[in-house]
Amino acid sequence: MRFRQINNDLLLSEINNFDPFVSCECGQCFRFEQISDSEYRLFACGRELVIDKTEEGWLFLNIDEAEFKEGFFDYFDLGRDYGEIISSFSFDKTISLAAQTGSGIRIFRQDPFETLISFIISQNNNIPRIKKIIEALCRLLGEEKNGFFSFPTAEKIAEAGIEGLAPIKSGFRAKYIIDAASKVASGEISIEGIQKMSYAEALAELKKIKGVGDKVANCVLLFGFGHYGAFPIDVWVKRVIDKYYNGSFDPQTLGEYAGIAQQYLFYHERSLGD
DNA sequence: TCCCAGGCTCTCT
DNA sequence: AGAGAGCATGGG
């Protein structure tokens, strides 16, 4: 892994198993847009980050190495050896194949509250519309700083109420969003508290929120709380289990990084269809 | 028009 | 405890 500052931009080269574009498209995050074949815009770590794919490597525009290492290094999970993790799945042909398709995927370490609300919105929904609703929520209640809207706080959302969320057209999910935001704002649910909990405790805590079941909670634990063993089962992963594992599958056999295998499977199966 | 989308809640057995 | 309808909205 090598960093080189080029004027205002930061070039990252000599790194394996890292493709931020694929990582964005694999369904784990929603606040990004493709600008061209070689350029993406991502909103994370409280700012906008434009990423160019170049001959020499990944070019992060308008950021220096110190700031990158403060936020995005961990956000992109660059300190982990994904090659080694993929090797640990070598006993399973299906996962190994899926890991080839998604070899550039990194599990992004996203903001827990944003992840919670985002995956509540994701239920019985499709990705383009999830992105649209989240963007509308940020524009409605987030804070603007030079054209970019931050993800709103729990207090702001709770204050808006179900009626206040009408413009984002989240449908029946509005009441769930409000329940989550209210519980977090009041302290009934503590993000910091969940950070310290075991997987099982954290899962139970998240499921106290209306509209949060096993699938949403596991996504939040995997993408927002760094529980890499969390294994969300959605319609696509269920399809994989039915298709390749005769309808039953025990994620525990995959070890502490089962969630990463899940992400390979999800991305691979989706890339087959559409 | 019907069906589906990174599901969950509620109700009825 | 397990199955099934209903849920808001928009795109194919």
Side-chain angles (χ1 to χ4, degrees):
Chain A
M1 189 178 335
R2 203 174 82 130
F3 289 101
R4 186 152 57 96
Q5 196 73 37
I6 303 174
N7 299 320
N8 292 326
D9 310 328
L10 182 67
L11 180 72
L12 170 60
S13 57
E14 297 171 30
I15 178 160
N16 294 320
N17 300 297
F18 177 57
D19 184 329
F21 295 178
V22 171
S23 298
C24 283
E25 297 289 357
C26 80
Q28 62 175 321
C29 67
F30 304 102
R31 295 204 73 193
F32 70 91
E33 59 177 328
Q34 180 173 19
I35 300 168
S36 72
D37 283 346
S38 62
E39 190 167 67
Y40 270 67
R41 187 199 318 276
L42 171 67
F43 300 101
C45 301
R47 61 164 281 174
E48 168 197 86
L49 184 67
V50 176
I51 309 171
D52 285 5
K53 184 178 187 173
T54 75
E55 293 286 325
E56 294 94 318
W58 300 102
L59 189 65
F60 305 106
L61 304 190
N62 223 345
I63 191 167
D64 61 35
E65 188 170 344
E67 186 185 351
F68 185 90
K69 288 193 167 167
E70 207 170 290
F72 286 100
F73 187 90
D74 288 332
Y75 184 86
F76 291 139
D77 203 22
L78 297 179
R80 207 177 304 276
D81 185 348
Y82 276 63
E84 193 174 309
I85 294 168
I86 290 172
S87 298
S88 77
F89 301 137
S90 61
F91 66 93
D92 186 303
K93 295 286 175 245
T94 305
I95 297 172
S96 298
L97 177 64
Q100 287 178 29
T101 309
S103 65
I105 293 173
R106 297 268 169 166
I107 300 296
F108 290 172
R109 183 61 175 267
Q110 302 175 59
D111 177 79
F113 179 68
E114 176 174 343
T115 309
L116 171 61
I117 300 299
S118 295
F119 278 91
I120 285 173
I121 291 170
S122 80
Q123 69 181 90
N124 196 222
N125 211 343
N126 58 69
I127 291 177
R129 206 167 81 90
I130 296 164
K131 292 175 66 172
K132 210 173 285 182
I133 292 171
I134 292 172
E135 222 38 55
L137 176 62
C138 294
R139 287 179 187 282
L140 183 68
L141 298 174
E143 283 182 25
E144 188 194 351
K145 36 181 172 180
N146 43 35
F148 149 74
F149 288 85
S150 68
F151 196 88
T153 62
E155 289 75 12
K156 268 283 200 184
I157 296 174
E159 190 184 316
I162 295 177
E163 300 77 14
L165 289 186
I168 72 172
K169 297 194 174 298
S170 58
F172 66 89
R173 306 167 193 83
K175 55 183 178 292
Y176 301 151
I177 296 170
I178 294 304
D179 189 62
S182 304
K183 285 191 164 92
V184 171
S186 72
E188 184 179 340
I189 297 278
S190 162
I191 298 292
E192 295 74 25
I194 294 175
Q195 303 265 26
K196 296 173 192 152
M197 292 180 188
S198 69
Y199 166 77
E201 290 172 326
L203 183 71
E205 191 68 9
L206 287 170
K207 284 170 70 173
K208 289 179 182 170
I209 297 164
K210 288 201 183 96
V212 177
D214 274 311
K215 193 272 169 182
V216 168
N218 275 293
C219 283
V220 177
L221 290 172
L222 178 59
F223 303 127
F225 286 95
H227 282 278
Y228 297 95
F231 195 91
I233 299 176
D234 73 314
V235 289
W236 292 96
V237 175
K238 189 182 286 292
R239 210 166 289 168
V240 168
I241 293 173
D242 289 343
K243 204 163 150 187
Y244 305 101
Y245 299 95
N246 281 324
S248 82
F249 187 82
D250 180 11
Q252 294 213 1
T253 61
L254 300 177
E256 62 174 322
Y257 293 117
I260 297 179
Q262 177 275 155
Q263 202 55 26
Y264 294 141
L265 292 170
F266 173 82
Y267 179 71
H268 179 70
E269 191 65 17
R270 258 172 57 86
S271 67
L272 293 180
D274 42 53

